[in-house]
Amino acid sequence: MSVFANETGAEILKAVRAPEFIFPTLLMPCAFYALFAIVLSNSGSNATYLLATYGVFAVMGPSIFGFGVGVSTERERGWLQLKRAGPAPAYAYIGAKLVTTLLFVMLALIPVYLIAGFAGGVALARGTWFALFAIHLAATVPFVLIGINLGFTLGSSGAVAISNIVFLGLAVLGGLWFPVFAFPSAMQTLATFTPSFHLAELALAVVGAPGERTSSTNALTISIMTLSLLVLSLWTWSRQKQ
Amino acid sequence: MKTELEKPALISRKLTHRFGDKVALNSLDLSIPSSGVTALLGANGAGKTTLINCALGLCKPSSGSITVFGRTPGEIDTKHLVGVMLQDSNLPDLLTAREQIELFRSYYRHPLSSDEVIVRCDLGHFVDQRYKKLSGGQKRRVQFALAIIGQPKIVFLDEPTTGLDIGARKIVWNTINELSDSGTAVVLSTHYLEEAESLADHTIVMHQGELVANDSTNNIRAMASGAVIRCETRLDINSLLAINHVQAAQIVGRKTEIRTDNATASLRLLLQADSNLSNLTVSKSSLEDAFIQLSQSQDTGQTQHRDTPTGENQ
């Protein structure tokens, strides 16, 4: 347990000491939300729908970049190799990164929620607030797995570039910035292959704007995607070890 | 030394490792004593790092076996006996030396106290600075601290002083000597002959994945203490080999190269035997050169010329 506490402490210190990486991922979601849901919005209900989708967007940054860029940098610097030569448990490293990511995910989500509630006039039942928050937190898992796969496959400069593409691609295609029905039909089809799209539909259903699929279809799709990503990341991890 | 009576720390049997077509280690049989300092000496590509990685369980042998204190490398109980400083391993830039030490401490069952490690590695005046801000020598000392924090029985140091200036190198050497005096087996890879000479009780010379020599450093130094005489002479190889102290001779172009363990004595006889001898130079043979030639004369029964880079003393 003390290993886990130490690893987590080290992860948090590393993150806090690189504010130039943290701040964009924390600030971008609430800045974008404030702009599109409140300043440029002409309808009150937009603020509620966009809270559902921008919440998913807020989760993506810390998850994809924290693991994608973080793991590939530490792998490339030989730090992971040194840990592996010693008796450092792998679960503590991954677990500590996950806890740190969840912490920053919350730090990214809370301002968006505060803006929604106080400036956007979003009014939800207490249970709905919590259900939405739970879905947003759970969204961390598939995005972290995407980050792990990038981190164990790419070199550090490649990881920065590809993480950005994946991050922006999933945000746009998943309909997190603009609703998917505004897309041409080919892009609409493509959207259904992204986890961000199904997570956004799940969140939208909670706030009373369900898509054409049932929530259980969304949840099942997300589960299958998450499981596949998990299998893939176990494979990339074991390939590391050889 | 009492190493003969103790069980070896590391034993390899026919250890072979291939990267694709390239053979990094070729059927290596060796044992490393469980006390004292053992140097792995060889040029780049000799297989030193691969050998260390195999001993750590970071790479699986293609064939053959390797054990550390009778255990399989890479298993958790083995890892607790082993400390390591890897060649290309950088610690996180944003953590201080003390934070890295505290983190690594938590991995081990019976670690040293942080304060003791800080004193032993002389980290005192920079221990609270971020790793990024440290000089090359200071970074190595922090890495060294991580290698010994778990009180290992054997420590592998992969080129611990490469790229350091003389001052920083001397500090690392002192720490290695202290570590060895405390009863820990130390294996260090180096391509500096002087480093092996000043630190190691035992030296293993490797060349292109093969074992060339494995002996006490004193014996190895003695074996390689000779000189190379180059000259133009009408004497043939056989009459050269008959001269006292001459160990090997070969013709390279117009010149003859004569390896001797006593340059003065051999020269005197050589000049007597051929009064027309010309273009004479005498140079000290490098350890590595000597062993490459030695291994080849063992392989083929005659000496050959071979282009190997010298100048290992930078």
Side-chain angles (χ1 to χ4, degrees):
Chain A
M1 198 57 209
S2 110
V3 179
F4 186 69
N6 270 291
E7 288 277 10
T8 309
E11 286 301 326
I12 292 174
L13 280 177
K14 279 187 288 185
V16 170
R17 287 175 188 170
E20 67 275 22
F21 293 112
I22 293 289
F23 272 114
T25 57
L26 298 189
L27 283 182
M28 209 157 58
C30 56
F32 277 27
Y33 179 73
L35 185 66
F36 291 108
I38 296 164
V39 180
L40 300 179
S41 170
N42 43 19
S43 140
S45 56
N46 272 358
T48 309
Y49 303 148
L50 291 180
L51 172 62
T53 61
Y54 275 82
V56 176
F57 177 61
V59 169
M60 284 174 49
S63 307
I64 294 179
F65 289 106
F67 273 85
V69 179
V71 170
S72 76
T73 308
E74 290 175 346
R75 190 170 56 89
E76 198 166 76
R77 286 171 65 89
W79 172 232
L80 288 192
Q81 177 104 326
L82 187 67
K83 280 166 169 289
R84 232 170 54 215
Y91 78 85
Y93 175 71
I94 299 291
K97 271 201 166 7
L98 188 61
V99 167
T100 311
T101 301
L102 280 171
L103 192 77
F104 284 104
V105 159
M106 284 194 240
L107 285 179
L109 279 175
I110 285 167
V112 178
Y113 275 63
L114 289 177
I115 292 171
F118 291 107
V122 174
L124 298 171
R126 181 178 295 180
T128 311
W129 281 112
F130 281 117
L132 189 63
F133 196 67
I135 286 178
H136 284 153
L137 273 191
T140 310
V141 178
F143 294 126
V144 156
L145 288 169
I146 289 174
I148 289 183
N149 281 304
L150 295 176
F152 278 121
T153 341
L154 300 169
S156 62
S157 49
V160 174
I162 304 292
S163 296
N164 266 302
I165 293 170
V166 170
F167 172 69
L168 295 174
L170 289 180
V172 173
L173 267 185
L176 305 185
W177 288 353
F178 316 103
V180 172
F181 58 73
F183 294 168
S185 69
M187 275 177 80
Q188 290 193 30
T189 314
L190 211 54
T192 59
F193 290 99
T194 64
S196 43
F197 170 78
H198 293 279
L199 286 163
E201 282 212 328
L202 265 184
L204 281 166
V206 168
V207 297
E212 45 190 84
R213 287 158 201 78
T214 62
S215 287
S216 45
T217 309
N218 290 133
L220 186 68
T221 314
I222 281 295
S223 307
I224 291 169
M225 286 177 172
T226 306
L227 210 62
S228 317
L229 286 165
L230 180 68
V231 171
L232 189 64
S233 59
L234 288 175
W235 180 72
T236 49
W237 168 263
S238 70
R239 219 170 46 113
Q240 275 304 302
K241 280 185 154 172
Q242 53 94 30
Chain B
M1 286 203 326
K2 50 191 163 75
T3 50
E4 289 80 3
L5 297 173
E6 293 170 357
K7 280 191 176 171
L10 182 150
I11 298 174
S12 79
R13 296 263 178 268
K14 303 235 172 300
L15 179 67
T16 302
H17 190 78
R18 291 183 205 89
F19 296 106
D21 289 346
K22 193 177 166 287
V23 180
L25 295 175
N26 191 3
S27 198
L28 218 58
D29 281 308
L30 60 81
S31 71
I32 288 177
S34 63
S35 64
V37 178
T38 301
L40 294 178
L41 187 65
N44 291 333
K48 307 183 298 282
T49 297
T50 311
L51 175 60
I52 289 178
N53 283 346
C54 284
L56 295 168
L58 293 176
C59 65
K60 289 248 177 303
S62 308
S63 62
S65 70
I66 181 165
T67 55
V68 175
F69 293 108
R71 297 165 195 263
T72 308
E75 288 180 355
I76 189 75
D77 287 333
T78 320
K79 287 177 173 181
H80 279 278
L81 301 175
V82 173
V84 65
M85 195 169 144
L86 294 169
Q87 194 181 335
D88 302 307
S89 182
N90 264 304
L91 311 183
D93 271 340
L94 298 175
L95 297 180
T96 68
R98 190 192 299 277
E99 287 158 357
Q100 324 251 22
I101 288 169
E102 289 292 341
L103 176 59
F104 245 70
R105 251 193 114 244
S106 67
Y107 299 155
Y108 288 93
R109 291 170 189 152
H110 308 289
L112 294 167
S113 76
S114 299
D115 290 338
E116 185 173 351
V117 171
I118 290 165
V119 171
R120 270 175 65 175
C121 300
D122 194 18
L123 311 179
H125 61 287
F126 58 84
V127 73
D128 289 314
Q129 285 183 36
R130 292 184 189 177
Y131 187 76
K132 192 182 197 166
K133 302 238 169 80
L134 305 182
S135 72
Q138 290 171 333
K139 286 180 177 174
R140 295 295 170 94
R141 275 145 74 189
V142 178
Q143 292 172 23
F144 188 84
L146 299 188
I148 66 168
I149 187 91
Q151 303 213 56
K153 288 173 73 179
I154 184 167
V155 172
F156 294 94
L157 308 170
D158 197 356
E159 304 202 3
T161 62
T162 301
L164 297 187
D165 61 35
I166 286 291
R169 193 176 295 168
K170 287 274 158 65
I171 294 176
V172 174
W173 287 3
N174 279 338
T175 339
I176 291 171
N177 275 325
E178 283 169 25
L179 181 65
S180 170
D181 290 345
S182 72
T184 310
V186 178
V187 179
L188 82 128
S189 75
T190 179
H191 47 240
Y192 302 129
L193 169 58
E194 18 157 357
E195 190 156 285
E197 283 186 341
S198 54
L199 281 174
D201 310 297
H202 206 85
T203 295
I204 291 169
V205 185
M206 293 176 70
H207 177 68
Q208 294 185 346
E210 308 214 359
L211 188 69
V212 177
N214 182 3
D215 208 331
S216 75
T217 307
N218 281 338
N219 284 350
I220 280 177
R221 191 194 285 132
M223 288 158 83
S225 66
V228 179
I229 300 168
R230 289 185 181 81
C231 61
E232 286 176 32
T233 173
R234 57 178 172 76
L235 297 172
D236 64 13
I237 299 285
N238 282 334
S239 40
L240 287 170
L241 288 173
I243 292 174
N244 270 353
H245 299 289
V246 169
Q247 296 166 314
Q250 61 181 337
I251 294 166
V252 182
R254 297 178 56 192
K255 286 203 165 186
T256 304
E257 275 187 14
I258 302 148
R259 185 172 297 280
T260 168
D261 61 6
N262 184 335
T264 323
S266 297
L267 263 179
R268 196 171 288 132
L269 295 166
L270 193 59
L271 289 166
Q272 277 172 14
D274 179 7
S275 50
N276 289 327
L277 187 144
S278 61
N279 272 331
L280 176 72
T281 60
V282 181
S283 57
K284 201 171 181 302
S285 67
S286 86
L287 186 64
E288 198 193 320
D289 261 359
F291 279 108
I292 290 165
Q293 302 244 349
L294 209 71
S295 66
Q296 286 189 338
S297 58
Q298 281 165 356
D299 288 348
T300 61
Q302 59 178 14
T303 52
Q304 304 170 328
H305 180 69
R306 185 186 173 85
D307 286 320
T308 36
T310 52
E312 285 296 325
N313 303 326
Q314 349 122 62

